[in-house]
């Protein structure tokens, strides 16, 4: 009866959980779609206006290059160059600058307002690159309009020979974006932003003047923005620390990114209320069914996990993750028997870190443990076959078991391990090499020999001793009989 009650309660809880989970996914999907629609609205408005601004810029560039038009009176020239663009809402200035950055034509006045803007980025980029085309710059404080925040749209003016003749500038007031974004509904903690592809923040809602112009290219959110043309993801804002669902789109014709983000707290507000109500009712109904089974399950899982961990600890070295000496004995016995039975070659490597005691005394045991772990990884990375295995023999010594491996093959693997350990370049002032190295002895049993596995270990150990005697950081292959 208890089992039946538990099964019924779990079934009810599972159905409830699935419904709530699907409801949560639906809330996220709805939020994604809503953010996408908001982004599309903002995108269409921005692209439409910027297209008009770009056409106005090109009209001015063409007019400036028309000698007949430039010879006309300032009034007629202004009408032809600017039409009524200068009166458009949120346009701060339309200026023509000469090659030195001085204002020569001003849409706001027949007598140009005096100013030199050769230090501005929008001037320098055209001065240095004739192929830049339409340039959308970073936010700046206008000198002609008392520090009003704007972003520049500019084009290069070139002479007939292609040389630099100046720049045409349209300053778009950031108030345009602020009004546009303020009209979009994003919830109490939502955010919408326009960001340059260089990471500069052009406008953000909620508005904070301190954020305008800030570069966020190192933020995790911005890296997502550059990873695809458009998409969505969840992350925490680097600006205000709020976790949000972000939808972003790189505008196809402008170096801008539109980002719409709804806060998770807003997305899941209704869902949380519903989930709390359902969970409360379900909890009251299921408490009698799952109380004892839940406690029993916890105890059972703890026991199984403890047994699994104990079994793993019994077979592996806790520091390096390689097999321990006890497991090594089992591996050696099994592989030795198989080699004797199938009359196949059997190789063994004895690896020892050179002057490890001196290293420990100099750098401390924590550094020693880190080095042992790194060396163990080098060994593991260089034995690729499933039958090959490695174990920590003790201290700084390791043994590698290589079934069906010839002396040449064993020497090759040993050399790879030695080079990998040396390649770690772990500083060791007590070594003649200046860094951690290892000496390796290799031995091979062949069917023609009559010996046991201890003889192979002894031969590999002797080869290791020879490697040490020859100056360390070497591989020596045992050439002596094993018997």
């Amino acid at each position: 009866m208890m089992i039946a009650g538990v099964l019924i309660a779990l079934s009810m809880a599972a159905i409830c959980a699935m419904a709530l989970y699907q409801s949560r996914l639906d809330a996220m999907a709805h939020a994604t779609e809503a953010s996408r629609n908001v982004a599309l609205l903002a995108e269409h408005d921005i692209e439409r206006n910027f297209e008009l601004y770009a056409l106005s810029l090109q009209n001015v560039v063409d007019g400036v290059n028309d000698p007949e038009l430039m010879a006309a009176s300032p009034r007629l020239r202004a009408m032809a160059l600017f039409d009524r663009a200068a009166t458009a809402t949120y346009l701060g200035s339309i200026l023509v600058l000469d090659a030195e950055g001085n204002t020569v034509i001003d849409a706001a006045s027949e007598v140009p307002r005096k100013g030199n803007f050769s230090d501005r980025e929008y001037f320098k980029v055209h001065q240095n690159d004739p192929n830049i085309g339409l340039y959308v710059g970073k936010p700046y404080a206008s000198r002609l309009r008392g520090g009003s925040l704007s972003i520049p749209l500019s084009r290069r003016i070139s002479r007939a020979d292609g040389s630099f003749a100046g720049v045409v500038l349209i300053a778009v007031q950031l108030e345009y974006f602020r009004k546009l974004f303020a009209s979009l509904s994003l919830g109490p903690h939502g955010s919408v932003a326009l960001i340059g592809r260089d990471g500069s923040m052009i406008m953000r809602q909620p508005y904070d003047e301190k954020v305008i112009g800030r570069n966020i290219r190192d933020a995790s959110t911005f890296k997502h923005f550059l990873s695809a043309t458009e998409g969505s993801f969840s992350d925490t804002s680097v600006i205000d620390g709020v976790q949000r669902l972000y939808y972003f789109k790189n505008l196809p014709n402008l170096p801008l990114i539109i980002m719409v983000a709804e806060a998770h707290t807003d997305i899941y507000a209704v869902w949380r209320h519903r989930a709390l109500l359902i969970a409360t009712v379900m909890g009251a109904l299921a408490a009698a069914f799952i109380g004892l089974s839940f406690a029993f399950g916890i105890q059972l899982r703890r026991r199984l996990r403890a047994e699994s961990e104990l079994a793993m600890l019994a077979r592996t070295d806790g520091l390096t993750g390689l097999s321990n000496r006890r497991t090594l004995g089992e591996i050696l016995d099994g592989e030795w028997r198989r080699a004797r039975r199938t009359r196949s070659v059997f190789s063994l490597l004895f690896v020892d870190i050179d002057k490890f005691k001196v290293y420990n005394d100099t750098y401390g045991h924590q550094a020693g443990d880190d080095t042992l772990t790194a060396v163990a990884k080098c060994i593991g990375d260089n034995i690729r076959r499933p039958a090959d295995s490695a174990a920590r023999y003790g201290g700084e010594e390791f043994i590698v078991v290589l079934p069906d491996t010839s002396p040449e093959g064993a020497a090759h693997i040993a050399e790879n391990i030695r080079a990998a350990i040396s390649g770690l370049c772990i500083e060791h002032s007590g070594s003649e090499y200046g860094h951690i190295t290892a000496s390796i002895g290799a031995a091979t049993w062949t069917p023609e020999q009559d010996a046991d596995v201890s003889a192979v270990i002894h031969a590999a150990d002797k080869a290791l001793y020879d490697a040490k005697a020859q100056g360390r950081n070497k591989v020596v292959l045992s050439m002596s009989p094993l018997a």
Side-chain angles (χ1 to χ4, degrees):
M1 180 62 71
M2 184 183 69
I3 295 177
V6 170
L7 290 175
I8 292 172
L10 291 178
S11 298
M12 293 171 61
I15 294 171
C16 178
M18 289 176 62
L20 289 175
Y21 178 69
Q22 186 60 50
S23 176
R24 184 181 177 90
L25 292 180
D26 291 343
M28 181 63 76
H30 177 75
T32 302
E33 185 62 24
S35 296
R36 182 176 182 274
N37 291 335
V38 169
L40 288 176
L41 286 173
E43 175 194 358
H44 291 159
D45 197 285
I46 292 170
E47 285 200 326
R48 183 179 67 252
N49 282 289
F50 272 54
E51 182 180 5
L52 295 174
Y53 299 152
L55 290 173
S56 296
L57 278 174
Q58 188 60 53
N59 181 64
V60 176
V61 171
D62 294 341
V64 169
N65 288 323
D66 186 339
E68 185 177 348
L69 177 59
M70 295 305 291
S73 67
R75 178 174 169 275
L76 292 176
R77 182 178 61 193
M79 291 178 61
L81 288 177
F82 307 117
D83 193 13
R84 291 182 175 81
T87 63
T89 308
Y90 303 121
L91 277 190
S93 302
I94 305 180
L95 304 175
V96 177
L97 310 178
D98 63 16
E100 285 71 44
N102 298 309
T103 305
V104 292
I105 301 177
D106 185 348
S109 173
E110 290 185 8
V111 179
R113 290 170 288 180
K114 293 182 179 181
N116 183 281
F117 303 96
S118 60
D119 60 327
R120 293 293 198 188
E121 184 181 21
Y122 59 75
F123 183 86
K124 293 179 180 179
V125 294
H126 291 297
Q127 187 180 43
N128 297 327
D129 186 352
N131 302 313
I132 203 71
L134 176 67
Y135 177 74
V136 181
K138 302 174 185 176
Y140 70 97
S142 173
R143 296 172 187 166
L144 299 179
R145 289 177 289 108
S148 174
L149 292 177
S150 305
I151 62 167
L153 276 69
S154 58
R155 283 189 178 277
R156 174 186 169 109
I157 303 173
S158 298
R159 299 186 180 93
D161 61 359
S163 61
F164 178 64
V167 168
V168 179
L169 164 73
I170 287 182
V172 181
Q173 297 178 25
L174 292 191
E175 187 65 17
Y176 158 62
F177 302 107
R178 183 178 176 183
K179 295 281 189 181
L180 173 63
F181 291 169
S183 67
L184 304 175
S185 177
L186 299 169
H189 306 95
S191 175
V192 59
L194 186 68
I195 306 163
R197 287 199 185 134
D198 62 351
S200 57
M201 182 66 70
I202 296 172
M203 177 55 64
R204 182 179 183 272
Q205 181 70 25
Y207 180 74
D208 182 354
E209 187 172 331
K210 295 178 182 177
V211 174
I212 305 306
R214 178 176 172 180
N215 197 294
I216 62 167
R217 62 174 173 267
D218 295 327
S220 59
T221 50
F222 185 74
K223 294 173 183 177
H224 282 286
F225 299 157
L226 298 182
S227 65
T229 302
E230 62 179 306
S232 62
F233 62 93
S234 288
D235 205 342
T236 300
S237 170
V238 71
I239 294 175
D240 56 18
V242 176
Q243 187 179 24
R244 294 186 173 95
L245 168 68
Y246 288 85
Y247 176 84
F248 68 92
K249 184 173 184 181
N250 287 265
L251 302 191
N253 302 314
L254 295 168
L256 302 172
I257 302 167
I258 186 76
M259 176 221 73
V260 177
E262 286 195 60
H264 281 205
T265 53
D266 299 336
I267 294 172
Y268 295 128
V270 174
W271 178 86
R272 284 195 181 95
H273 177 74
R274 184 187 305 124
L276 180 60
L277 179 62
I278 294 174
T280 300
V281 174
M282 182 56 65
L285 293 174
F289 292 115
I290 64 173
L292 293 176
S293 60
F294 182 72
F296 176 76
I298 289 177
Q299 293 301 322
L300 181 60
R301 283 194 296 272
R302 285 178 178 173
R303 180 174 178 178
L304 291 175
R305 184 165 57 248
E307 289 177 354
S308 176
E309 291 174 354
L310 286 173
M312 180 63 70
L313 289 173
R315 296 189 60 82
T316 60
D317 175 63
L319 176 64
T320 64
L322 300 179
S323 298
N324 59 21
R325 190 161 181 170
R326 176 183 174 184
T327 306
L328 173 65
E330 297 173 2
I331 294 171
L332 284 172
D333 183 63
E335 293 297 340
W336 182 254
R337 291 175 184 273
R338 190 183 68 81
R340 294 291 296 268
R341 184 175 63 255
T342 60
R343 305 296 291 170
S344 58
V345 294
F346 175 92
S347 292
L348 186 143
L349 308 181
F350 214 127
V351 183
D352 183 82
I353 302 175
D354 297 325
K355 296 187 177 180
F356 189 70
K357 184 179 184 306
V358 176
Y359 182 84
N360 258 346
D361 292 342
T362 304
Y363 298 93
H365 289 286
Q366 182 58 55
D369 288 348
D370 293 342
T371 297
L372 288 170
T373 302
V375 169
K377 186 176 186 304
C378 287
I379 294 172
D381 289 345
N382 284 280
I383 54 173
R384 303 304 177 94
R385 298 181 308 174
D388 297 341
S389 59
R392 185 179 178 191
Y393 192 66
E396 69 273 22
E397 297 176 328
F398 302 84
I399 282 184
V400 180
V401 181
L402 303 170
D404 299 314
T405 303
S406 65
E408 294 76 12
H412 177 71
I413 293 173
E415 178 57 29
N416 288 343
I417 293 173
R418 183 207 64 77
I421 294 171
S422 181
L424 292 172
C425 296
I426 299 173
E427 180 185 349
H428 185 358
S429 60
S431 168
E432 56 268 50
Y433 295 96
H435 59 267
I436 285 291
T437 60
S439 299
I440 304 177
T444 302
W445 177 87
T446 60
E448 292 76 20
Q449 294 169 321
D450 185 16
D452 59 27
V453 72
S454 62
V456 184
I457 296 174
H458 178 74
D461 188 33
K462 183 177 182 306
L464 171 63
Y465 178 81
D466 292 342
K468 297 281 188 183
Q470 293 176 25
R472 300 181 180 86
N473 194 23
K474 289 180 170 52
V475 173
V476 172
L477 182 64
S478 175
M479 303 305 293
S480 61
L482 300 178

